[in-house]
Amino acid sequence: MVVDYASRTKKSKALYERAERVLPGGVSYGIRFFEPYPFYTARARGSKLYDVDGNEYADFWLGHTALILGHSPPAVVKAVNAQLENGTQYGTSHEREIELVEKVAKMVPSAEMTRFTNSGTEANMYATRLARTCTGRTKIAKFEGGWHGGYDALQVGVKYPFDIPESAGLTAGAVQDTILLPFNDLEGVREKLRDQQVASIVVEPVLGSGGGVPAEKEFLKGLRDLCDEKDILLIFDEVITGFRLAPGGGQQYYDVKPDISVLGKILGGGFPIGAFCGSKEIMEHLDTLAYKRPHYSFHGGTFTANPITMAAGLVTLKLLEDGQLINRLNKTGEKIREQLKDMFEAHGIDAQITGAGSIFNTHFTTQEVKNAPAAYKADRKRLVEYNLALIANGVFLLPTHNGVISTAHSRNDIEKLFAETEKYARRAKSA
Ligand SMILES: Cc1ncc(COP(=O)(O)O)c(C=O)c1O
């Protein structure tokens, strides 16, 4: 497998050796590295990535799941080209930012008011601060396996085993107010929070880096009730699920309304973005006219509401708004999960396929995967081997991460995923 890949990716290898000298680990984000070295992308279009050696990949990673319309969709290219001629960064207020937040308000049930950031990390950071502002409480809660970006207070208990710090440099002070909760286990959550006063509980409707594990509907409903009982603000981190599971994201898909929502990825139409939103009553704490220091909750940033991002986001949401494209993707997602399960089963390989809507992941285990510990206890070595076998044959899933599909994916792309999985399963069985 590695030999196949190496013989096809000689120019990527040379670029990796060059990168290693100046980029720590040879990459701009640790998760983008995979063995023996990542390929280097030369261009991308529709459902495909093309590397510097001329190899084509059906792309199921899609820019960290951001590209629901595929690479360079014509409508986005047109809108961005038009905007390029009219300024790339204003640093002033402009109408597009209003249009986009109006669209978000129309689509996302909890989003009466919204503020933009440049990443999901920032949006989670500001959402947490806002929750602390509104409640006057210090402690916050998050779930095992939940990934909310690199903000210190939320970078706790992400990878198994959960008691090892996620990074050097996280001070005791930065993480001591974070309570770690068990996912899909309402009784466990109640127990952990019995004597605690927390400002917020943040949850991904489908665990992203935690293995593509969907929350159970009753679990999210139970969390909503618990938050109401204890005056806790419920935050949905919809950086992945927003505009993917439904036009209104996970909250529409599950019919559970959070107090604050965190958005990103798809919202930017392929450009950097994050956002957080909520009711007027909550979001008004960001209004520096209504609240003076020390009572307002700060938020800002040089590139917030960047006009290129706004233009790309706006055309993207317009295309997703009526739900037709998303419904179609969700049906294909369902088919992918079923067919992958059947294929591994047919070859006697124990595999659980997780995901929801147009998200999918594979876990080689006999155990049902209902939380991140179960995902981490599956055979990850085999998962990497499976993913690398796909990559060597022109199907890109970033090893161990979730796969997603876009409206640019054709039946052939999906068939290729199946055909290469079938080949892998056949070989794995006989090995
Ligand atoms: C659920 C979730 N929240 C937050 C983030 C962080 O977003 P960003 O990488 O834009 O900072 C991510 C990124 O993958 C994510 O998946």
Side-chain angles (χ1 to χ4, degrees), residues 267-305:
L267 175 62
F271 290 80
I273 199 159
F276 58 114
C277 39
S279 66
K280 186 161 187 276
E281 189 190 346
I282 290 173
M283 296 299 286
E284 258 179 2
H285 287 87
L286 299 157
D287 178 351
T288 49
L289 299 176
Y291 290 89
K292 299 287 170 213
R293 199 158 60 115
H295 301 294
Y296 79 86
S297 193
F298 174 81
H299 152 258
T302 298
F303 287 101
T304 45

Side-chain angles (χ1 to χ4, degrees), residues 103-382:
K103 193 58 86 192
V104 171
K106 207 166 150 215
M107 292 171 75
V108 180
S110 66
E112 205 176 345
M113 289 186 139
T114 300
R115 276 283 184 96
F116 294 112
T117 62
N118 298 300
S119 68
T121 300
E122 276 174 75
N124 274 298
M125 177 182 79
Y126 287 122
T128 302
R129 186 183 291 179
L130 180 60
R132 284 174 164 156
T133 303
C134 293
T135 58
R137 297 174 184 170
T138 304
K139 288 200 183 296
I140 54 171
K142 73 170 290 286
F143 288 91
E144 291 172 343
W147 171 241
H148 308 288
Y151 166 47
D152 292 22
L154 291 175
Q155 207 175 347
V156 174
V158 179
K159 293 202 188 86
Y160 188 84
F162 302 120
D163 54 353
I164 300 177
E166 297 296 333
S167 169
L170 293 173
T171 63
V175 298
Q176 73 190 7
D177 294 317
T178 305
I179 297 168
L180 203 56
L181 304 173
F183 191 71
N184 272 337
D185 174 4
L186 196 58
E187 271 320 297
V189 171
R190 283 192 172 274
E191 188 53 39
K192 289 264 183 191
L193 296 182
R194 193 171 303 283
D195 304 315
Q196 300 284 354
Q197 293 253 311
V198 302
S200 55
I201 298 178
V202 61
V203 64
E204 292 165 86
V206 177
L207 284 182
S209 92
V213 185
E216 287 161 1
K217 185 165 182 168
E218 286 315 304
F219 173 67
L220 288 184
K221 284 199 179 300
L223 276 186
R224 177 69 275 173
D225 293 342
L226 177 68
C227 286
D228 290 342
E229 261 168 57
K230 293 172 78 87
D231 293 323
I232 299 167
L233 293 176
L234 180 60
I235 305 177
F236 274 11
D237 180 345
E238 298 235 38
V239 169
I240 292 177
T241 52
F243 313 106
R244 180 169 286 283
L245 290 188
Q251 52 204 276
Q252 182 183 356
Y253 183 87
Y254 283 100
D255 192 23
V256 177
K257 194 167 152 187
D259 299 295
I260 299 174
S261 302
V262 176
L263 303 167
K265 301 200 194 270
I266 291 173
L267 175 62
F271 290 80
I273 199 159
F276 58 114
C277 39
S279 66
K280 186 161 187 276
E281 189 190 346
I282 290 173
M283 296 299 286
E284 258 179 2
H285 287 87
L286 299 157
D287 178 351
T288 49
L289 299 176
Y291 290 89
K292 299 287 170 213
R293 199 158 60 115
H295 301 294
Y296 79 86
S297 193
F298 174 81
H299 152 258
T302 298
F303 287 101
T304 45
N306 171 268
I308 302 282
T309 307
M310 298 291 106
L314 194 58
V315 282
T316 301
L317 294 204
K318 280 183 183 165
L319 287 167
L320 299 174
E321 195 176 4
D322 69 9
Q324 285 188 36
L325 292 175
I326 292 177
N327 282 342
R328 208 182 77 206
L329 288 182
N330 287 357
K331 284 201 187 98
T332 309
E334 186 74 45
K335 188 176 155 209
I336 289 175
R337 288 189 294 277
E338 276 170 23
Q339 194 133 336
L340 293 180
K341 171 117 192 101
D342 289 350
M343 251 175 215
F344 285 119
E345 221 167 81
H347 289 283
I349 295 171
D350 294 320
Q352 309 292 322
I353 312 296
T354 52
S358 52
I359 305 167
F360 61 97
N361 206 337
T362 302
H363 306 279
F364 293 106
T365 171
T366 52
Q367 305 296 314
E368 193 183 357
V369 176
K370 289 175 76 168
N371 52 34
Y376 277 99
K377 281 175 198 160
D379 188 344
R380 286 175 83 80
K381 215 172 128 222
R382 179 169 256 192

